[in-house]
Amino acid sequence: MPGSMGAVKTVHEPFQLLAFLKSASTLRPCPLRRAQIRPFSPHCFMTPRVRFAPSPTGDLHVGGGRTALFNWLYARQTGGTFILRIEDTDGARNTEEAQRGIVKGLRWLGLDWDEGPEVGGPHGPYFQSQRKAIYDAYLAKLEAAGRVYTEENGAVRFKFSRTAITVHDLVCGDVTFAPTEEPDMTIRRPDGSYIFHFVNVVDDIEMRMTHVFRGEDHLSNTWKHIDLFHALGATPPTYAHIPLILNPDGSKMSKRDAGSAIEHSYIHEGFLPDAVFNYLAMLGWTPRADQEVLTREQLAKLFNPADIHSANARFDLHKCQWFNAQFLRALSPEALLKASLPFLESAGLVIGDEAMAAAAVYSVKEKVSLLKEIPAWVHYFFREDYPFEADVTEKLRAKPENASLLKAALTTLGHGTEWSEASVHSAIEAAAKEAGVKTGALMPLLRAALSGQSRGPNVATIAHLIGQESTLRRIERTLSEVLG
RNA sequence: GACCCCUUCGUCUAGCGGUUAGGACACAUCCCUUUCACGGAUGCGACACGGGUUCGAUUCCCGUAGGGGUCGCCA
């Protein structure tokens, strides 16, 4: 087979040339991408209005966060308006606290909304629980149109048109649903409260939504929404049903699964908002850029609904952490300290000198991918009674000459009046030379003495940051407590 | 059960009829190195299957299988 390649190629070339000439001679433009299927949608000429409409169920789910993120990206990229609307029609399971979780998650991700809770707006209120009068009015419209009927128990049903309905979707293309055989849809319960499908459509009309980016799980119900829009004499928004986020094993990701909740899985684990934002944005969409690590602003600029995938994506914690590591390393010492503070504090570390603390966390930034890992790497910077790890003690005691090597270092380090990384380094070199060993042999001993650990930043960096006094004291402590 | 969406390395993906099927994460090896890392280099590794259409299909069409979703007086 490989031997015949050359011959095959020469046979093919004339055809390639032919194909080239053919495509060049026809004035056919490039094949349209999915999103350009309906270039003349009525919304093309309007400033986009998009929304995230969660029901308050506590901690923000990553799927919800990503849905919000896509809407946000579209609004920011087009100069449109991003609206937050709380779909709290099911009073029983909606609590104020649950709603705070959503708001906290969105704020943490940096998804600011232009209209909605806390910021207001001209189409409020933005809580469905406060919009009953509006829904009553729209129900009256349907009544007037003869499209509803009331059951014996008081529930109100919407009469489906029972015609074929096509969803023009930015992601999935045109999806046509045959006339339905399902029973008519209940839109109001006997107790007078309204059902999701109805209020969702009413609010999208009232709030003038032009585009709806939502999970693909809604695609199968979208024809019902369109039927409702038509019955109410309104134009449906342009839909974009985005792929779902699945667990690593391909199963549906739900509340209990790892990585599913923003506060629990990300904020508390020490992720940076920018990193999670970046990772989530790339799950189901690939920006046309030559790199993957991008800021919100860059992502908003590059966002193109046409490039949203139609296949579900599995969640990969490794990659998310890799993004986090990238952003972590790009932080300034001050920013890194600020981000680490909650984790340092919950580890019981007391920060005295902020400049020193910033330098300390900065010195270990390449060693971690999550903020919560930082305390274990820097605790000895903030306390004198740091423990000696078992293998460290063992190593120090392994060779009898270790004590004299440390004593040599104690002497040279005690001499200097200057205390910089460079001066520390040369003091160590001098000690090694005097003791007749390589510098590399002395370093691990000093690291062990100064930190109680066998890994960490440069020894000179540690010594410089903790200061001369502490350095000498720590070596003495090691000599007496470990090698004494 | 009916209907809808989907299927390229383990994972996220590039690919728009002719490519040695490219990249990132992960993994492995090597280099760098006072440790751990970072970084650099290299390697591993994929078009679900079967039919068409075509000179030629990863790419277009049909089927099968598999995955996901929807069919609530949940949202």
Side-chain angles (χ1 to χ4, degrees):
Chain A
M1 194 59 183
S4 65
M5 283 298 276
V8 170
K9 209 143 203 168
T10 49
V11 169
H12 282 181
E13 265 160 19
F15 292 108
Q16 289 173 16
L17 183 66
L18 190 70
F20 173 75
L21 291 171
K22 220 158 55 178
S23 68
S25 60
T26 53
L27 290 171
R28 195 166 48 90
C30 288
L32 295 176
R33 295 192 64 90
R34 283 186 293 266
Q36 296 168 313
I37 288 167
R38 301 180 67 232
F40 303 116
S41 139
H43 305 300
C44 277
F45 308 105
M46 297 163 70
T47 303
R49 290 176 59 81
V50 295
R51 47 58 165 193
F52 176 50
S55 67
T57 50
D59 203 345
L60 179 62
H61 189 269
V62 267
R66 217 251 322 225
T67 300
L69 189 149
F70 275 37
N71 280 286
W72 184 94
L73 282 174
Y74 190 64
R76 294 299 170 258
Q77 112 101 237
T78 57
T81 306
F82 176 52
I83 293 134
L84 175 62
R85 179 173 82 217
I86 305 294
E87 306 220 331
D88 54 350
T89 55
D90 185 11
R93 54 186 255 189
N94 293 316
T95 64
E96 185 122 332
E97 194 181 325
Q99 186 221 118
R100 268 200 298 274
I102 303 283
V103 168
K104 181 173 183 180
L106 291 173
R107 291 248 187 258
W108 184 78
L109 278 171
L111 301 172
D112 55 321
W113 49 97
D114 308 304
E115 292 178 25
E118 298 180 4
V119 302
H123 302 281
Y126 294 91
F127 296 90
Q128 290 187 330
S129 56
Q130 298 167 20
R131 297 172 63 82
K132 192 171 188 305
I134 295 166
Y135 305 138
D136 289 342
Y138 273 80
L139 181 62
K141 273 195 187 186
L142 287 180
E143 251 160 6
R147 292 297 297 274
V148 293
Y149 58 91
T150 307
E151 306 229 289
E152 282 173 24
N153 66 2
V156 177
R157 282 182 188 266
F158 169 66
K159 272 191 237 177
F160 285 139
S161 66
R162 298 186 188 281
T163 56
I165 294 173
T166 299
V167 180
H168 303 290
D169 195 273
L170 250 32
V171 176
C172 303
D174 286 0
V175 182
T176 300
F177 293 83
T180 188
E181 288 171 28
E182 282 180 31
D184 288 327
M185 167 171 68
T186 304
I187 58 172
R188 200 184 72 171
R189 302 183 186 92
D191 68 3
S193 63
Y194 290 94
I195 301 294
F196 161 74
H197 300 290
F198 178 67
V199 294
N200 189 269
V201 166
V202 168
D203 285 343
D204 282 348
I205 294 170
E206 274 286 299
M207 297 182 181
R208 314 263 137 87
M209 307 315 313
T210 61
H211 297 73
V212 171
F213 293 79
R214 48 156 49 153
E216 199 247 36
D217 50 339
H218 288 288
L219 182 59
S220 298
N221 281 326
T222 300
W223 64 269
K224 297 176 185 174
H225 299 176
I226 292 175
D227 212 3
L228 230 23
F229 273 101
H230 290 334
L232 289 164
T235 306
T238 298
Y239 290 100
H241 286 92
I242 65 181
L244 269 20
I245 301 178
L246 271 25
N247 283 317
D249 67 358
S251 63
K252 188 190 180 184
M253 187 180 258
S254 62
K255 279 193 167 182
R256 287 285 164 211
D257 294 314
S260 69
I262 296 294
E263 181 165 10
H264 177 260
S265 310
Y266 299 91
I267 303 182
H268 290 171
E269 289 297 298
F271 279 91
L272 259 17
D274 290 356
V276 177
F277 187 106
N278 198 161
Y279 176 68
L280 253 27
M282 319 248 329
L283 229 42
W285 171 61
T286 309
R288 297 188 173 265
D290 51 14
Q291 58 173 38
E292 290 188 86
V293 179
L294 298 159
T295 64
R296 273 186 197 76
E297 292 68 34
Q298 288 172 314
L299 288 163
K301 204 166 193 173
L302 291 163
F303 187 65
N304 181 0
D307 295 330
I308 298 176
H309 312 151
S310 41
N312 293 164
R314 295 178 192 212
F315 181 82
D316 183 7
L317 195 60
H318 268 296
K319 185 120 192 200
C320 192
Q321 288 193 10
W322 177 80
F323 273 107
N324 207 57
Q326 301 303 307
F327 281 91
L328 219 49
R329 285 170 207 151
L331 254 30
S332 69
E334 296 71 31
L336 184 61
L337 175 62
K338 195 180 171 201
S340 319
L341 228 40
F343 298 91
L344 298 174
E345 277 166 6
S346 71
L349 301 176
V350 180
I351 282 81
D353 181 348
E354 280 200 16
M356 187 277 234
V361 295
Y362 196 72
S363 74
V364 300
K365 73 180 195 305
E366 286 94 4
K367 310 187 187 299
V368 303
S369 60
L370 257 24
L371 292 170
K372 75 163 184 184
E373 299 166 21
I374 289 182
W377 285 89
V378 300
H379 68 272
Y380 53 84
F381 281 104
F382 307 103
R383 52 196 281 207
E384 295 295 320
D385 63 336
Y386 52 91
F388 285 86
E389 291 177 356
D391 64 316
V392 170
T393 306
E394 203 176 307
K395 213 157 206 169
L396 282 168
R397 288 173 179 161
K399 290 184 181 170
E401 65 267 30
N402 285 347
S404 58
L405 286 175
L406 282 179
K407 277 175 191 157
L410 192 59
T411 308
T412 56
L413 285 165
H415 284 330
T417 48
E418 189 200 340
W419 195 255
S420 64
E421 278 193 35
S423 72
V424 168
H425 194 85
S426 40
I428 295 169
E429 274 180 333
K433 195 172 179 184
E434 200 170 296
V437 298
K438 284 195 248 178
T439 312
L442 185 49
M443 288 295 185
L445 301 179
L446 280 169
R447 176 191 312 290
L450 300 183
S451 70
Q453 299 186 162
S454 58
R455 48 172 70 170
N458 284 333
V459 172
T461 305
I462 299 173
H464 172 239
L465 288 177
I466 59 179
Q468 186 172 27
E469 192 193 337
S470 176
T471 298
L472 300 177
R473 197 186 320 127
R474 288 177 188 216
I475 296 172
E476 276 163 0
R477 178 190 165 208
T478 307
L479 251 14
S480 64
E481 285 183 25
V482 183
L483 297 172

